Amino acid sequence: QVGATESGNNWLGYIMHHVPAPALAVQPTVELAKRFSRQRIDPLLEETPALRDRVAPARARDSGNTMLSKEFPGGILVLTGANSATGLASRPIKVLLADEVDRYPGSAGTEGDPLSLAQKRQTTFWDKKTVMVSTPVIKGHSRIETEYNQSTREEWNVPCPECGHYQPFVWANLIFDPDDLQKEIVYKCERCGCVANEYRWKQQS
């Protein structure tokens, strides 16, 4: 668990609040999409004041908010499963969140690759955006591995608070005592060896 799905949820929240558009969130199955709606999207909408005021409660009559559809001013979020050809082909979308893509079936019924079906819904938008996240499964047979290898493979870099060298955070340079987590946790620069705490590193980013 590295927070990729939660980052995707935050992105959907940003879409609803700041740049409303038709959006589609795809889980491996319709059942998982329903669970995702109950456990992740509904709490996001209920506990975020800026979103709570934009999406009516599902229990309200004619609210436009159902388990698999969340309407908001200027857009709609549809949730579906990669096993549902109907859900994947239902409407034009601008933004697509494809979650756990390594667990998608090879075909949505008899309609073909589910990710391709979803992306075809974006053709009318010149500024479309797709976010794919997944826990990789079998090396050499992983969709997310293929997508990553075809990408720019860029990593978020943060400058050292001492020498200014930009670097990605790596686990090996995190210094802490696993037996006493009350002790300060620090990070070491890969170039100059400077050791600084979280606050100093964050001041640079």
Side-chain angles (χ1 to χ4, degrees):
Q1 296 293 317
V2 296
T5 297
E6 195 57 39
S7 296
N9 295 346
N10 292 338
W11 177 59
L12 291 175
Y14 176 85
I15 297 295
M16 293 181 193
H17 188 201
H18 293 287
V19 283
L24 178 65
V26 183
Q27 292 288 319
T29 66
V30 173
E31 275 307 308
L32 287 174
K34 291 177 180 178
R35 186 188 307 172
F36 177 73
S37 178
R38 288 193 308 267
Q39 298 179 354
R40 307 298 281 274
I41 297 299
D42 284 347
L44 172 73
L45 299 177
E46 292 165 7
E47 296 168 16
T48 308
L51 299 180
R52 188 188 311 130
D53 296 337
R54 296 180 71 79
V55 182
R59 59 184 174 275
R61 181 176 296 179
D62 299 326
S63 70
N65 181 347
T66 66
M67 183 169 294
L68 295 178
S69 178
K70 315 291 183 183
E71 291 184 7
F72 49 92
I76 185 170
L77 170 62
V78 174
L79 301 103
T80 192
N83 60 341
S84 170
T86 303
L88 294 171
S90 60
R91 67 186 68 228
I93 57 161
K94 180 177 177 180
V95 294
L96 168 63
L97 173 62
D99 193 22
E100 291 297 350
V101 295
D102 271 14
R103 286 161 178 75
Y104 285 8
S107 178
T110 60
E111 299 295 317
D113 177 57
L115 191 55
S116 296
L117 289 174
Q119 289 177 310
K120 284 178 182 176
R121 307 271 57 82
Q122 298 178 290
T123 54
T124 56
F125 293 93
W126 66 269
D127 55 347
K128 61 186 177 288
K129 181 72 73 175
T130 298
V131 171
M132 283 182 268
V133 298
S134 187
T135 303
V137 287
I138 303 170
K139 186 174 178 62
H141 300 277
S142 165
R143 184 192 297 270
I144 202 69
E145 177 189 35
T146 300
E147 295 292 341
Y148 174 72
N149 287 336
Q150 292 175 351
S151 75
T152 61
R153 306 189 210 182
E154 293 173 271
E155 297 178 290
W156 181 259
N157 281 246
V158 178
C160 169
E162 288 292 331
C163 72
H165 171 63
Y166 277 83
Q167 60 204 281
F169 285 132
V170 296
W171 183 256
N173 290 337
L174 187 67
I175 302 169
F176 68 102
D177 183 351
D179 298 320
D180 186 359
L181 296 179
Q182 297 302 313
K183 292 182 180 177
E184 187 175 38
I185 299 173
V186 294
Y187 191 83
K188 181 176 70 174
C189 172
E190 66 182 13
R191 173 174 287 179
C192 73
C194 156
V195 173
N197 63 26
E198 176 184 4
Y199 299 103
R200 289 194 65 204
W201 278 94
K202 283 185 174 179
Q203 286 172 355
Q204 304 298 109
S205 58

